[in-house]
Amino acid sequence: MRISVIGTGYVGLVTGTCFAESGNRVVCIDVDEDKLANMRNGKIPIYEPDLENIFLRNIKEKRLTFTNSLSEGIKEADVIFLALPTPPVEDGSADLSYILKVASELGELLDHYTVIVNKSTVPVGTVEKVRAVIKEKSKIDFDVISNPEFLREGFAVIDFMNPDRIVIGTESNNAKKIMEELYDPFVKNGSQIFFMDERSSELTKYAANSFLATKISFMNEIANLSELVGANVDQIRLGIGADERIGNRFLYPGIGYGGSCFPKDVMALNHIAGENNYIFKILEAVMSVNQIQKTKIVNKVTKYYNDNIEGKVFSIWGLAFKPDTDDIREAPSLEIIKELIGAGAKVRVYDPEAIKNVKTYFKDYQGITYHNDAYEALEKSDALIILTEWSVFRSPDFAKIKKNLNHPTIFDGRNLYELKVMKTNDFYYESIGREIVNSL
Ligand code: NAD
């Protein structure tokens, strides 16, 4: 098939590359000229494991091309995917301007039957809006359908190639047939395509992300309570996760959820509820718990130094909102760094992939130094603070950590280490929802 993907970010690039890999001709369309120039030169604009090889192979085999021209890009398309941003606006709702602008342009340009598939995460009723905008300008027969994306950054290729499920919202038999054909190579392992009405499909995506965010906030509250009653949240996690009804995934407490999806999607769902005069009490609690959780680690640090961290130097391991990505959108690390610096401390930061994005984000901000080596970042520091659970941090050289730090002190926002290992290695060690090791 001939596929066009409008918006070549995390979702669009993975979608385009994976559809090219299954034999389709894919044109990726974007407005970001730098990104396009890099991609044409075989430079992948994001860090995403397993993507680069298939990206390069499909460029070489001319199944994957790039353009800034919408009219060129959709010329022969059988299917057009929209993978455009839907960032939050001030009131928490999703900004649909990117999608509606492209819809209006498509209305001018369509000259043959095409299935327009929305992959962006959008409020209920967006497909109807897109259809109306196109119809206003076009006499051509077309379908607009919903196909929310569930890939996880860091596992995007695996998730796209072997999805848990594919959700498609449409009443059009023609579009259904085309989608079945397009996704057939990806459901050979038995995954299911759930066809449903558009509105349910749009709400499914928000419900999924909000449920996951709820799990995280719930575990963060259990962790906070564990600290107060002298329990260990990791043991509780195992104890409840063995119950199949609960499941053992997404039960890790930490420094609050971040990323480009959970915060905005929870807010957007809450906004949808509000617009319909429904108070979604759980979501309000989820958001407020998350906001508080982001400050927990800074509170632990400042409390340890008797509420005065002025002049202290902290090493930070991990900046991306989660491991295996360079994405720092809504990463808790950004707020934590600002709070530490705001209280008079300095930070020395290291991340395997996100340093470049963090440097761009903080620009001329004073008080941060960037390091390409985790152990170098520890030098001249009073303590190490761990914010992202990259696997390279899981079995570090504790002797070297101790040697490089001014004091053997670790604040771990991701519970990477066994308490007894930290005891043996003689670290002062504070984590989330567990006892403090070698407490003074
Ligand atoms: P992104 O910001 O990484 O990518 C969006 C791309 O669209 C950018 O490259 C931007 O330059 C381009 N763009 C903007 N306006 C354009 C226009 N008029 N024409 C062509 N290109 C244009 O965003 P993303 O993370 O890929 O997310 C896209 C959508 O998918 C969002 O709605 C998001 O909520 C949803 N989603 C994201 C993820 C994820 O893990 N990132 C997962 C599932 C769903």
Side-chain angles (χ1 to χ4, degrees), residues 6-11 29-32 35 83-86 98 102 120-121 149 151 153 205 260-261 264 329:
I6 309 179
T8 314
Y10 285 87
V11 168
I29 303 158
D30 208 288
V31 287
D32 183 333
K35 203 178 247 189
L84 292 157
T86 49
Y98 295 88
V102 166
S120 299
T121 304
E149 181 51 60
L151 62 77
E153 288 178 21
K205 173 65 192 178
S260 68
C261 293
K264 96 172 159 60
R329 291 178 287 184

Side-chain angles (χ1 to χ4, degrees), residues 327-343:
D327 197 349
I328 59 159
R329 291 178 287 184
E330 298 288 323
S333 65
L334 305 175
E335 251 178 74
I336 291 168
I337 288 172
K338 283 183 207 161
E339 280 191 49
L340 292 170
I341 292 178

Side-chain angles (χ1 to χ4, degrees), residues 105-288:
E105 289 165 12
L106 287 176
E108 310 262 0
L109 293 169
L110 283 186
D111 60 4
H112 61 281
Y113 172 79
T114 316
V115 182
I116 296 152
V117 186
N118 178 52
K119 259 208 175 300
S120 299
T121 304
V122 292
V124 178
T126 301
V127 160
E128 287 156 48
K129 280 189 186 158
V130 169
R131 186 178 297 123
V133 169
I134 299 177
K135 223 172 198 160
E136 214 172 87
K137 304 209 165 162
S138 181
K139 298 249 170 319
I140 299 287
D141 185 25
F142 65 92
D143 273 308
V144 184
I145 71 171
S146 155
N147 170 212
E149 181 51 60
F150 297 97
L151 62 77
R152 297 162 298 166
E153 288 178 21
F155 299 91
V157 173
I158 296 176
D159 285 350
F160 199 93
M161 295 292 198
N162 307 284
D164 289 340
R165 79 302 206 184
I166 291 162
V167 169
I168 293 178
T170 184
E171 306 291 335
S172 153
N173 286 330
N174 207 4
K176 262 186 206 168
K177 232 175 84 216
I178 292 172
M179 285 296 104
E180 264 169 349
E181 197 184 317
L182 184 60
Y183 275 115
D184 184 60
F186 304 95
V187 293
K188 293 262 186 248
N189 62 356
S191 308
Q192 231 180 310
I193 303 182
F194 295 105
F195 286 105
M196 56 181 79
D197 65 87
E198 289 161 12
R199 289 184 158 243
S200 303
S201 126
E202 290 170 327
L203 194 54
T204 298
K205 173 65 192 178
Y206 280 127
N209 273 1
S210 299
F211 190 79
L212 293 171
T214 304
K215 261 184 132 176
I216 295 174
S217 277
F218 181 84
M219 282 313 285
N220 282 332
E221 294 240 81
I222 293 289
N224 296 339
L225 187 58
S226 296
E227 287 176 13
L228 295 175
V229 300
N232 179 328
V233 71
D234 282 350
Q235 292 173 12
I236 298 167
R237 175 174 56 76
L238 296 174
I240 63 172
D243 184 331
E244 276 182 12
R245 293 169 304 174
I246 295 173
N248 56 14
R249 296 169 70 185
F250 254 75
L251 293 180
Y252 292 84
I255 54 172
Y257 59 77
S260 68
C261 293
F262 286 1
K264 96 172 159 60
D265 293 350
V266 175
M267 266 198 301
L269 183 55
N270 195 40
H271 190 268
I272 294 169
E275 277 183 330
N276 289 279
N277 299 319
Y278 184 74
I279 300 171
F280 206 139
K281 290 187 190 138
I282 292 178
L283 287 189
E284 290 184 355
V286 167
M287 289 187 284
S288 117

